Amino acid sequence: MRLAIVGAGPAGIYAADLLIKADRDFDVEIDLFDQLPAPYGLVRYGVSPDHPRIKGIITALREVLDRTDRGDDAQAGDAGNAGDAAEGVDTEAARAPRGSVHYHGNVRYGEHIGLDDLKRHYHAVIFATGAILDASLDIAGIDAEASYGAADFVSWFDGHPDVPREWPLDAKQVAVIGNGNVALDVSRMLIKHAEDLLPTEIPDNVHRLLEQNPIEELHLFGRRGPQYVKFTPLELRELGEVRDVDMVIDERDFDIDDPYVAETLMKNKQVIVLTRIMNQWREAQKLRDAGEVAPASRRLHLHFWSKPVAVMQDADGRVSGIKIERTAPDGAGGVVETGEFEVVPVQSLYRAIGYFGSPLEEIPFDEKRGVIPNEQGRVIGADGSPVPGVYATGWIKRGPIGLIGHTKSDAMETIECLLEDRASWWQPEAPEAAAVVELLKSRNVPYTTIEGWHRLDAYELSLGEDQGRERIKVVSREEMTRVSLAE
Ligand code: NAP
């Protein structure tokens, strides 16, 4: 059976892995397409460069992509593809029906390959295209100059090939809206001294601009209270450990009577740890206020119970401040408005209030939630019934929530449904592997392969090694493709 997966991020790769390992009585060949010349999606282009622990997930993902064995018959005529693939495959899997995964980078669904092509060459498709846009924030002035979406900034600092190389870092006072892990990543990258990022895989152009970042104050806004944050403890603690940055807390935010906190939130272990971390910052602040500790050169202000209501602009239409309204607990986990407003002067602003998925040609899309409508991964059409042969997994299936590991259980659900539905899969006219390769060639698509990725990976690592750095990412699509395709 031949299956296509669109999207070679963690969601797509986990789906491929689970398909390969699934209990089935037929062989499976998986073609994994990605619009980028390199695999790993959000792990390469969403995780911050100073998070090597999370980037370590790549080791496991890579093992799946390296599984290019095609089964005994095919291998006899295609030895070049076998390579080292069998290594790392456990004996149980080796006894199971055979499976192979083939990565095709630089292939954009809807442009280079469409639904009709997939139906012609595969038995089913799984969309795992993630969510890479910023959710919109509907407040006055949000389109002002120097008002940015976090996803765009993350793409820039992670060297995404399709975003501009430059980023205007000229504000001394910056606002970040949101209390999730993306807001933490954005805040850390903005407030950290550039030299502390140098050992990471940060792209050169990003490091150069961050070196000139004049930031002095960063204001991080959450519309609910400190116990309601969506941060994870490890990431919050890390923010407080950034060198030469003082964490500044408004004591008023902690002095609010909210029965929901004691009755519900403080029963959660994670909330207890998060609160403890913030309490340590409050203690450190008292020492600073008493003159017992010297102040740092940069400050990160945490503002809770602060709902953004407008972005203020100067005469040139550039961000000059953020207007917030104080909120108060409603006693049931939500907030009420208080009618009390404040303007905090800032010269740039980042909204980190969640990601949003993009529609795919000929595939149903929920415009409100930014996901493909589905039931347990079965894509649901306009008539409310499943669309045969079409599945979804990852953030485009369930929305942009959860850590990378959660994507695995999500893929499990989708794969179970897909295997259950075998009777309703497509009947492809040309299911041979070579037919798709021919199609891509006939359309002049400069598609990259797993061997090409290994070349690019080795090249980036060697660039880093020369300078005593982890890796230096190649940023331009042309150069990525050139290195990948070089024999
Ligand atoms: P998130 O965790 O859902 O956080 C979104 C934040 O934006 C929340 O604080 C939310 O507040 C706030 N928000 C939403 N709408 C708002 C509005 N209109 N006005 C003001 N605030 C608003 O989303 P995320 O930070 O984008 O992260 C997405 C997922 O990726 C999460 O599961 C996250 O843990 C994961 N991630 C993990 C890491 C890591 O290092 N481990 C890094 C990045 C991302 P409310 O709570 O009040 O709705």
Side-chain angles (χ1 to χ4, degrees), residues 26 101 129 143 152 167 169 214 244 282 327-328 340 371 420 457 463:
F26 53 89
V101 180
T129 47
D143 293 329
D152 291 340
W167 193 274
L169 287 165
D244 192 30
R282 292 165 73 191
T327 58
E340 196 187 315
V371 298
E420 238 174 72
D457 187 32
L463 288 181

Side-chain angles (χ1 to χ4, degrees), residues 219-394:
H219 297 271
L220 180 60
F221 295 94
R223 61 182 172 180
R224 297 191 283 166
Q227 286 83 15
Y228 294 82
V229 294
K230 297 230 173 96
F231 309 138
T232 43
L234 205 63
E235 281 65 30
L236 186 65
R237 188 173 291 118
E238 182 187 10
L239 186 66
E241 287 166 357
V242 175
R243 183 179 67 82
D244 192 30
V245 175
D246 284 337
M247 304 301 290
V248 183
I249 284 183
D250 185 342
E251 282 297 327
R252 278 185 312 164
D253 293 345
F254 285 78
D255 190 22
I256 284 181
D257 186 24
D258 180 3
Y260 189 78
V261 169
E263 285 161 18
T264 308
L265 295 179
M266 288 307 274
K267 298 205 164 105
N268 178 311
K269 215 170 146 198
Q270 176 154 317
V271 176
I272 296 172
V273 178
L274 290 164
T275 308
R276 199 180 299 143
I277 294 168
M278 288 183 265
N279 284 343
Q280 286 163 358
W281 296 346
R282 292 165 73 191
E283 291 306 314
Q285 180 165 279
K286 282 183 197 151
L287 294 177
R288 272 198 319 276
D289 290 350
E292 291 178 33
V293 180
S297 72
R298 292 178 173 180
R299 279 167 300 286
L300 196 152
H301 302 256
L302 291 139
H303 304 261
F304 298 105
W305 307 111
S306 298
K307 179 183 148 192
V309 288
V311 178
M312 316 307 286
Q313 303 178 33
D314 64 16
D316 299 325
R318 188 192 157 112
V319 173
S320 63
I322 170 140
K323 184 174 181 182
I324 55 122
E325 179 171 10
R326 283 292 284 180
T327 58
D330 67 0
V335 290
V336 290
E337 292 158 358
T338 62
E340 196 187 315
F341 297 92
E342 186 188 344
V343 173
V344 178
V346 292
Q347 299 82 46
S348 77
L349 173 144
Y350 295 75
R351 64 178 194 282
I353 59 163
Y355 284 107
F356 202 79
S358 313
L360 292 152
E361 213 165 90
E362 295 191 79
I363 302 299
F365 190 67
D366 180 338
E367 298 282 349
K368 221 168 157 193
R369 293 184 55 225
V371 298
I372 297 178
N374 70 91
E375 277 169 18
Q376 298 172 299
R378 291 183 176 104
V379 173
I380 301 297
D383 63 356
S385 56
V387 181
V390 184
Y391 298 83
T393 193

Side-chain angles (χ1 to χ4, degrees), residues 54 137 179-182 185 223-224 230 235 353 400 402-403:
I54 306 180
L137 179 62
N179 273 179
N181 281 334
V182 171
D185 283 347
R223 61 182 172 180
R224 297 191 283 166
K230 297 230 173 96
E235 281 65 30
I353 59 163
L403 304 178

